[in-house]
């Protein structure tokens, strides 16, 4: 998982604004939520040594204990991948004509070595206002909130107007497991059919560790990850007799030309809304540049100012960067082959073929072949930010964090939203989890999440999903 919003806000915004909503006394069902969350974090779901299937089975057991019927719970496992399973569960709605809401979270986690961590990464530790553990944030916080939400509704006897589904899936982190969201979209589309889905991908930003909130984001759309291969070939020869025509030199020149190429600015509804709202929050020269770029995407001055920040640059355009390189076959021979991987993050709606054409033009050397790698996350489009989607988020956010702006965001990285959007399920990232400037050390050592942030997010999701479930 890649989360851009909190890092951007925390590093560029002026601190201030209203204090985060206080949790005060223990929330209803909090003890049960903490136990569920602990069990989920302490179930190892890494590719090397864990099992998503076991985690899904444990969550299913909790749902059944809360009164869910077997018919409301589906445990699934992709063929020949017994550890890559997941779970879909539903709280049926009263109106059979109203499409359900889908709550999506992945339960696989990035690898973690005990010798590198201060604490055992697969033992949930509460210390100094934080929960520590691999997956304590990414993404078992959200998975625990969604599972607990269904249990809480069931125990309250709540019967929503439209059904509420959860899908806990494996393989989002790309560590080798089957991607469960994509597998469901391709093989069991009916299980996840929904009017729209809520997912990870955005949250809120705190101005300092454990500090005050400054912005709350909604993710609508993300860039596609597509890699291209550059390859230069040559007859080669003995290194004692060098010639100007050298495959490594050709490749180096091609890479240098790509490094100097900047794709044009592109805007969509999400990025226009993002820069438009952030302009007044950020202020100064950068804020003025945001206003200018929304008014005129071809404004060279505004482009230059915003492009100096890697985070802003990442959502202004398609970006391509060299990530791998290899060449030659012997130290005493002229290279016969040299190649490089160029990883591109493509702006929603732009065809990969158009990106390849731009790379070919930038390279400007017919002897360097540019081809698309076979694997990628494919083309993506941004789902519409309608009033029906945004309104409830703004309402609950205003209740819990008065005065904190709700700002749409397009992700520069990728989540499991893509496979769902591809089959017609608009998917939005919103969590109510506010992050420290270090993003909770996601994917890194000593991953953590604020206890207060997690519990506030649990309450936020409870209120938000109820609004969606009753909306007509």
């Amino acid at each position: 998982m890649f989360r851009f919003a909190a890092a951007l806000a925390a590093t560029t915004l002026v601190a201030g604004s209203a204090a985060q909503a206080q949790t005060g006394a223990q929330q209803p069902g909090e003890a049960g939520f903490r136990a569920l969350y602990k069990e989920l974090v302490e179930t190892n779901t890494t590719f090397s040594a864990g099992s998503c299937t076991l985690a899904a089975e444990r969550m299913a057991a909790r749902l059944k204990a809360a009164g869910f019927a077997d018919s409301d719970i589906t445990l699934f496992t992709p063929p020949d991948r017994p550890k890559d399973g997941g779970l879909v569960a539903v709280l049926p709605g009263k109106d059979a004509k109203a499409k359900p809401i889908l709550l999506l979270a992945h339960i696989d986690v990035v690898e973690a070595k005990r010798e590198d961590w201060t604490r055992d990464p697969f033992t949930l530790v509460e210390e100094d206002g934080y929960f520590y553990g691999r997956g304590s944030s990414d993404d078992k916080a959200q998975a625990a909130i969604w599972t607990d939400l269904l249990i809480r509704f069931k125990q309250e006897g709540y019967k929503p107007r439209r059904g509420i589904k959860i899908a806990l899936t494996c393989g989002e982190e790309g560590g080798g497991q089957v991607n469960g969201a994509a597998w469901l979209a391709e093989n069991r589309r009916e299980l996840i059919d929904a009017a729209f889905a809520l997912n990870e991908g955005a949250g809120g930003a705190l101005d300092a560790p454990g500090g005050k909130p400054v912005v709350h984001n909604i993710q609508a759309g993300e860039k596609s990850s597509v890699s291209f291969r550059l390859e230069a070939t040559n007859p080669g020869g003995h290194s004692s007799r060098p010639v100007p025509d050298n495959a490594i030199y050709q490749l180096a020149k091609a890479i240098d030309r790509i490094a100097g190429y900047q794709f044009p600015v592109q805007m969509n509804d999400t990025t226009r809304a993002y820069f438009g709202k952030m302009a007044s929050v950020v202020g100064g020269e950068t804020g003025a540049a945001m206003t200018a770029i929304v008014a005129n995407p071809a404004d060279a001055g505004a482009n230059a100012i915003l492009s100096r920040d890697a985070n802003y640059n990442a959502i202004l355009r398609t970006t391509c960067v060299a990530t791998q390189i290899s060449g030659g076959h012997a130290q005493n021979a002229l290279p016969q082959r040299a190649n490089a991987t160029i990883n591109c993050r493509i702006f929603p709606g732009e065809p990969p073929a158009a990106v390849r054409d731009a790379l070919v033009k930038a390279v400007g050397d017919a002897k360097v072949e540019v081809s698309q790698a076979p694997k990628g996350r494919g083309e993506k489009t941004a789902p519409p930010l309608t009033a029906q989607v945004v309104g409830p988020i703004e309402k609950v956010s205003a209740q819990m964090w008065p005065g904190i702006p709700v700002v749409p965001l397009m992700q520069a990285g990728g989540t499991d939203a893509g496979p769902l959007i591809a089959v017609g399920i608009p998917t939005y990232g919103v969590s109510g989890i506010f992050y420290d400037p270090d993003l909770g050390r996601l994917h890194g050592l000593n991953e953590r999440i604020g206890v207060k942030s997690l519990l506030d997010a649990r309450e936020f999701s409870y209120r938000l999903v109820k609004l969606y479930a009753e909306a007509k």
Side-chain angles (χ1 to χ4, degrees), residues 238-430:
H238 201 287
S239 64
S240 65
R241 294 172 175 79
V243 294
D245 189 14
N246 182 296
I248 289 178
Y249 296 163
Q250 287 177 322
L251 181 69
K253 290 174 184 177
I255 293 172
D256 187 58
R257 288 169 186 152
I258 289 174
Y261 177 74
Q262 186 180 66
F263 283 82
V265 170
Q266 296 189 64
M267 304 288 283
N268 59 21
D269 289 345
T270 302
T271 56
R272 275 189 289 269
Y274 174 80
F275 285 115
K277 288 194 172 187
M278 290 297 290
S280 60
V281 179
V282 175
E285 180 187 52
T286 301
M290 290 178 172
T291 300
I293 207 78
V294 171
N296 177 19
D299 188 315
N303 177 22
I305 292 169
L306 295 175
S307 296
R308 291 198 297 258
D309 186 303
N311 292 313
Y312 296 140
N313 181 65
I315 58 174
L316 278 172
R317 55 175 49 84
T318 291
T319 60
C320 293
V321 61
T323 55
Q324 293 177 309
I325 187 169
S326 64
H329 59 283
Q331 65 177 355
N332 58 354
L334 298 178
Q336 296 171 1
R337 191 179 303 273
N339 60 72
T341 298
I342 307 295
N343 181 250
C344 297
R345 300 301 174 120
I346 301 177
F347 199 90
E350 184 172 13
V355 175
R356 179 192 173 276
D357 291 344
L359 292 177
V360 170
K361 186 175 181 180
V363 168
D365 184 349
K367 294 181 179 179
V368 177
E369 182 182 0
V370 183
S371 59
Q372 183 176 336
K375 291 185 179 180
R377 294 208 181 199
E379 296 180 54
K380 296 178 182 177
T381 57
L385 281 167
T386 64
Q388 291 85 353
V389 171
V390 178
I393 296 171
E394 292 179 331
K395 180 176 181 179
V396 180
S397 190
Q399 292 171 352
M400 297 190 65
W401 304 287
I404 301 306
V406 175
V407 180
L409 172 78
M410 183 186 75
Q411 273 285 8
T415 71
D416 274 339
L420 272 62
I421 292 172
V423 295
I425 303 173
T427 303
Y428 305 90
V430 60

Side-chain angles (χ1 to χ4, degrees), residues 35-124:
L36 182 157
Y37 175 60
K38 177 179 174 66
E39 182 176 43
L40 190 56
V41 171
E42 294 185 352
T43 303
N44 188 326
T45 53
T46 61
F47 174 65
S48 65
S51 172
C52 288
T53 301
L54 178 59
E57 289 170 347
R58 287 176 171 173
M59 294 303 100
R62 287 184 174 271
L63 290 167
K64 290 179 182 179
F68 280 84
D70 289 345
S71 58
D72 293 329
I73 299 171
T74 301
L75 288 164
F76 66 91
T77 306
D80 303 319
R81 300 300 291 266
K83 294 184 178 181
D84 296 356
L87 163 71
V88 177
V90 60
L91 180 67
K94 294 182 292 185
D95 186 349
K97 295 181 180 179
K99 273 195 165 186
I101 306 159
L102 177 65
L103 310 176
L104 175 69
H106 70 85
I107 52 177
D108 61 309
V109 295
V110 172
E111 300 289 339
K113 295 181 179 180
R114 175 65 187 94
E115 60 268 27
D116 296 335
W117 283 55
T118 303
R119 308 159 192 83
D120 182 349
F122 299 104
T123 299
L124 186 68

Side-chain angles (χ1 to χ4, degrees), residues 138-199:
D138 184 14
D139 186 31
K140 290 180 176 178
Q142 194 68 70
I145 286 172
W146 292 151
T147 307
D148 168 77
L149 187 65
L150 281 197
I151 291 172
R152 191 172 173 183
F153 286 160
K154 189 73 169 180
Q155 292 175 337
E156 290 175 351
Y158 172 56
K159 297 180 180 179
R161 175 178 171 269
R162 64 176 69 237
I164 303 169
K165 296 180 178 181
I166 65 168
L168 307 183
T169 60
C170 200
E172 192 273 349
E173 298 293 5
Q177 292 131 320
V178 173
N179 184 284
W183 189 88
L184 286 169
E186 294 167 5
N187 298 280
R188 297 297 306 274
R189 170 70 172 76
E190 77 286 356
L191 284 178
I192 57 172
D193 187 44
F196 63 93
L198 302 183
N199 184 33

